[in-house]
Amino acid sequence: MNTPKHPQRKAYEDTVVIERLNDGKLRLQFSVDITKAAGWYKPTTPQKKIRPGLSDVPQNYTLLESKCLQIHLDFLNGCFDPTLVKYGIGKDRPQLVIVPPVKKEIRMLELYDKYVEYRGKDTSLNTHHQMKVTLRNAIEQAINTVGENALEIRNWLLSNRCNKTSKECLRFLSKAHKLGVKHGLCFVDPFDEMSSEISVNKTSNKFDDHEDIFNQQLSYTLEEMEAIINYGYGRKLNCAVLIEFLFLTGTRISEAIAIKWSDVNWERESLRIARQWSMKGKCFIPLKGTKNIPEHLDYRIFPMPKNYRLWNLMKSVEKRENQLDLVFINGNNNPISRIYIGDVWRGSEATGSRGIIPELIKQGKVSKYLSIHHTRHTFSCIQQNIYGIDSKVVSSWCGHHPEVNDKHYWETDREIKPGYGELPATQQMQESELDLMKEQNQLLQQQLEEMRKLLQDRDK
């Protein structure tokens, strides 16, 4: 008989061998013409091979080996059955059991790649990029180091990656295996509930989209804001106009970069904020929180009152032609890079750039360092606390916390205008109080004068 290591070995007389075919099936080759021995021999079509209909799997190969041994012994003893019914591989094959091929489990990294591809259309561009690059690299390195043991992968990730990355890797691996079980690519999810056991401490210098935008500790004062804006213009920075725009509107950086000239409505004195710019994807992506906007709007409106500060700022921006029709562009007519803005804001040792905030802290004009994202907090706090604009209106301008805003605030009445360029509410209150005191003083003087006249007339 042949062995798996020698599938092409010559079949000697009175023997039968097993052949592996390219279509994944097994075939028996006899050393004699079994059709002649059975009495129905046709000279033009010698029948020395037969396909029992079995797949090429270890169980079936072992089964045929036992049959071949029995056939060989019958050849030697002269009791060979040419109909093959005796061996269960004849015309009826009454004794032969066909074993289905064993389905091999997919490799772990391949399963994860299939899951990432599966989630490509329903995840944000940044999250998908993280799954495809950062998390995949960590998972691949873990598998190459400790193999495909789930517990060993978990321990390796916790020892070589931060808790947040480890948690995300285990979470997506679990989801990938659940999808694999559903579609028959694997049998179990060895990462089930592993990610929930890992705690991630939120750092104080990172903020998500659900933070309190009215927290004054996370904002600059009005005087500090003006110092930052003036410093940017004084150094003639390319992004000085963008920095002032961020302070005047409270938009996210990605939203400000994505503002197009077609979004500027001079007639209605308003700006339309309709998209974000993704650095990783080099494309536009939808706004955050649009699924909660009433009537399924995919934009929000920001008032730009005529001849006020924001209006004048937009008028001062040079309109240069570019493929994307963007307002804020660099020297190459491309979207301004967030990396460049960050280097200008905080400084960079690599480029030798002096940061705006570190320099102003040295000069004593700014009290603390906050990231450029906190231009958003500064806008919100100044509008509410200094100019007295309702927090719901400010939230609607910023596109923040849609669950606490009334529906009509999403299309805010443009008669409600940002307070920049106007007299602060506190100062208005002080002046109105002074005017009232002056009127009361004049009235008191008149009353005193009348009393003097009355006394003089009485004495006469």
Side-chain angles (χ1 to χ4, degrees):
M1 291 182 296
N2 265 353
T3 65
K5 294 183 179 179
H6 304 284
Q8 303 300 327
R9 187 174 176 181
K10 183 179 178 180
Y12 293 99
E13 189 175 356
D14 298 332
T15 60
V16 59
V17 296
I18 304 171
E19 290 182 317
R20 287 190 165 102
L21 304 180
N22 292 333
D23 62 355
K25 299 291 185 179
L26 296 174
R27 182 172 67 182
L28 296 178
Q29 180 177 346
F30 293 84
S31 60
V32 296
D33 189 346
I34 59 173
T35 56
K36 182 178 180 180
W40 39 278
Y41 169 65
K42 296 180 181 180
T44 55
T45 56
Q47 183 73 19
K48 299 181 67 174
K49 298 178 181 179
I50 186 171
R51 296 181 64 154
L54 298 179
S55 302
D56 183 7
V57 294
Q59 296 94 322
N60 290 340
Y61 198 98
T62 303
L63 175 66
L64 286 183
E65 276 188 325
S66 65
K67 300 296 180 181
C68 291
L69 178 60
Q70 186 179 0
I71 291 170
H72 179 63
L73 292 174
D74 286 354
F75 269 131
L76 297 177
N77 296 326
C79 58
F80 168 67
D81 179 12
T83 65
L84 304 179
V85 175
K86 178 181 178 181
Y87 315 107
I89 53 176
K91 188 175 181 180
D92 298 327
R93 304 190 196 114
Q95 303 172 11
L96 200 59
V97 179
I98 299 177
V99 180
V102 176
K103 201 167 189 179
K104 296 182 179 179
E105 283 200 41
I106 192 172
R107 304 293 295 179
M108 189 176 290
L109 195 60
E110 185 181 353
L111 179 63
Y112 178 79
D113 289 337
K114 286 184 178 294
Y115 173 75
V116 173
E117 182 181 359
Y118 171 78
R119 291 295 307 275
K121 293 183 179 180
D122 63 346
T123 51
S124 68
L125 199 62
N126 291 342
T127 301
H128 191 251
H129 184 272
Q130 183 190 32
M131 293 168 63
K132 201 172 182 179
V133 179
T134 306
L135 301 183
R136 189 190 187 280
N137 290 342
I139 292 170
E140 183 178 18
Q141 193 171 353
I143 292 174
N144 292 339
T145 305
V146 300
E148 295 192 356
N149 183 286
L151 185 59
E152 294 296 328
I153 290 174
R154 173 194 178 277
N155 294 338
W156 187 92
L157 287 171
L158 289 174
S159 300
N160 297 273
R161 294 292 187 273
C162 67
N163 280 15
K164 183 177 180 181
T165 299
S166 302
K167 187 181 183 71
E168 290 296 284
C169 286
L170 296 174
R171 185 167 69 91
F172 286 123
L173 278 172
S174 178
K175 289 187 175 183
H177 279 80
K178 283 182 172 62
L179 182 68
V181 171
K182 181 179 179 181
H183 292 277
L185 300 177
C186 59
F187 304 122
V188 294
D189 173 19
F191 296 96
D192 188 33
E193 300 296 332
M194 274 193 182
S195 62
S196 62
E197 301 170 356
I198 301 174
S199 60
V200 178
N201 296 325
K202 292 185 178 181
T203 54
S204 59
N205 60 338
K206 294 184 179 180
F207 305 92
D208 57 27
D209 192 48
H210 299 287
E211 62 183 318
D212 182 7
I213 59 174
F214 300 108
N215 188 339
Q216 288 184 291
Q217 294 181 349
L218 305 177
S219 68
Y220 289 114
T221 64
L222 188 60
E223 293 76 15
E224 290 174 327
M225 180 196 79
E226 296 296 347
I228 294 170
I229 293 173
N230 293 334
Y231 187 84
Y233 284 116
R235 284 180 53 185
K236 298 181 179 180
L237 299 172
N238 292 334
C239 61
V241 176
L242 177 59
I243 290 174
E244 184 176 7
F245 180 86
L246 293 172
F247 273 119
L248 298 185
T249 60
T251 56
R252 301 173 179 89
I253 301 174
S254 57
E255 294 171 348
I257 295 174
I259 295 288
K260 295 184 177 184
W261 284 111
S262 58
D263 297 323
V264 182
N265 193 325
W266 301 106
E267 294 181 0
R268 299 189 68 190
E269 302 179 13
S270 64
L271 285 173
R272 182 179 63 176
I273 302 168
R275 68 198 69 83
Q276 298 181 94
W277 176 256
S278 171
M279 271 189 61
K280 293 179 179 178
K282 305 297 181 186
C283 63
F284 295 115
I285 58 176
L287 292 180
K288 291 184 177 180
T290 53
K291 64 181 180 180
N292 296 310
I293 298 178
E295 300 178 1
H296 305 289
L297 298 177
D298 56 355
Y299 63 89
R300 63 181 190 269
I301 298 296
F302 191 90
M304 186 180 64
K306 188 174 182 179
N307 295 328
Y308 274 63
R309 187 168 180 176
L310 180 58
W311 172 284
N312 295 331
L313 176 69
M314 298 304 292
K315 283 289 187 181
S316 70
V317 179
E318 180 185 357
K319 188 174 183 179
R320 289 185 288 161
E321 292 187 3
N322 58 89
Q323 288 183 337
L324 301 175
D325 190 37
L326 296 178
V327 175
F328 303 107
I329 53 178
N330 58 22
N332 298 322
N333 293 334
N334 294 320
I336 293 180
S337 169
R338 290 189 63 165
I339 297 176
Y340 165 72
I341 300 172
D343 289 344
V344 168
W345 185 264
R346 64 178 176 271
S348 171
E349 294 182 0
T351 61
S353 172
R354 292 181 301 159
I356 295 176
I357 305 304
E359 286 293 320
L360 290 177
I361 291 176
K362 288 181 181 179
Q363 297 175 17
K365 295 180 179 180
V366 170
S367 61
K368 57 192 173 185
Y369 177 85
L370 296 171
S371 71
I372 194 169
H373 175 73
H374 292 86
T375 55
R376 181 174 171 80
H377 293 71
T378 302
F379 168 82
S380 303
C381 290
I382 289 176
Q383 294 301 314
Q384 184 190 28
N385 299 323
I386 295 182
Y387 296 104
I389 295 177
D390 189 271
S391 62
K392 290 183 178 180
V393 178
V394 179
S395 294
S396 72
W397 289 342
C398 294
H400 189 83
H401 288 309
E403 64 274 10
V404 301
N405 291 342
D406 292 337
K407 289 185 177 181
H408 66 274
Y409 281 114
W410 284 104
E411 271 290 347
T412 307
D413 185 350
R414 278 174 288 278
E415 292 182 359
I416 302 175
K417 301 173 183 178
Y420 294 120
E422 299 177 342
L423 198 63
T426 53
Q427 191 172 343
Q428 291 177 2
M429 187 181 299
Q430 291 174 357
E431 294 198 358
S432 62
E433 289 176 352
L434 286 173
D435 292 338
L436 180 62
M437 290 176 65
K438 287 180 180 178
E439 292 178 2
Q440 291 176 346
N441 188 39
Q442 290 177 357
L443 181 61
L444 182 62
Q445 291 291 337
Q446 292 175 0
Q447 291 175 348
L448 289 173
E449 188 66 26
E450 291 176 357
M451 289 180 66
R452 288 196 190 97
K453 289 181 179 179
L454 290 172
L455 290 173
Q456 290 175 358
D457 293 340
R458 189 189 66 177
D459 293 339
K460 292 179 180 179

